Amino acid sequence: MAKRLTILTAAILACVFFAGVGPALGSAPSGEEFGISHEPRQRGNILDLFFGPAPRLPTERGKLVIYAFHDANGNNRRDPGERELHDKIRCTVDEITYQVPALIPGLDLSAGYDIECEGDDYLPLLIESHVFIERRGQIIRIDLPCQKLN
């Protein structure tokens, strides 16, 4: 048991030592001699080997908020007096179905998502069926006009 612990400790120390050391003992030529610029690389730590990298922060992801309303006059805009529809419309984003109103967090940066909406008593008129998260922490709000089915 002590021998295994010694080998494991030596392996961990080797990983930590070599992860923090640059070129081997200064014998390799620097990038300046060849006109190569070095980008600072992101270094992990020993915990990344066992547990993986830290989860992304919520501010690095986008959010989608969908509201539905009864568009009584058919102008595709929410006017005073047009009531919000709760639990009458379902929207599917990234193969997950949500009841509207919906808050959909955790959308990846620089990713696009298709939206499909349907209802039993109302017909949603989705103007934009694709959203793209273009910046960190972006919140996209969709007001979904719906017509009453006869």
Side-chain angles (χ1 to χ4, degrees):
M1 180 70 174
K3 188 174 185 176
R4 287 184 189 163
L5 184 58
T6 303
I7 293 171
L8 181 61
T9 304
I12 291 172
L13 289 174
C15 289
V16 170
F17 177 76
F18 288 114
V21 173
L25 301 175
S27 61
S30 69
E32 295 171 0
E33 294 176 23
F34 299 105
I36 300 172
S37 65
H38 292 287
E39 295 282 328
R41 66 178 181 171
Q42 294 181 344
R43 289 190 213 165
N45 59 37
I46 193 68
L47 295 176
D48 289 347
L49 292 174
F50 296 107
F51 303 109
R56 289 182 153 176
L57 296 173
T59 56
E60 293 180 355
R61 297 180 173 258
K63 294 176 187 69
L64 176 62
V65 182
I66 304 174
Y67 293 99
F69 65 94
H70 178 220
D71 189 15
N73 59 6
N75 66 354
N76 294 338
R77 286 183 299 166
R78 187 159 189 184
D79 297 318
E82 294 180 334
R83 63 184 173 84
E84 193 170 311
L85 301 176
H86 289 276
D87 300 327
K88 305 258 187 221
I89 305 295
R90 296 171 303 282
C91 290
T92 303
V93 178
D94 203 24
E95 299 181 9
I96 300 173
T97 302
Y98 300 90
Q99 285 288 88
V100 176
L103 169 65
I104 305 166
L107 301 179
D108 291 331
L109 182 65
S110 299
Y113 296 91
D114 291 320
I115 306 168
E116 296 177 10
C117 297
E118 63 183 7
D120 296 328
D121 299 329
Y122 291 88
L123 174 66
L125 304 171
L126 189 60
I127 308 297
E128 289 185 42
S129 63
H130 186 81
V131 295
F132 184 77
I133 306 300
E134 59 189 34
R135 65 181 188 276
R136 290 182 173 171
Q138 181 177 9
I139 299 173
I140 298 174
R141 178 186 169 128
I142 295 177
D143 285 323
L144 185 62
C146 301
Q147 296 292 321
K148 180 86 170 153
L149 293 174
N150 295 329

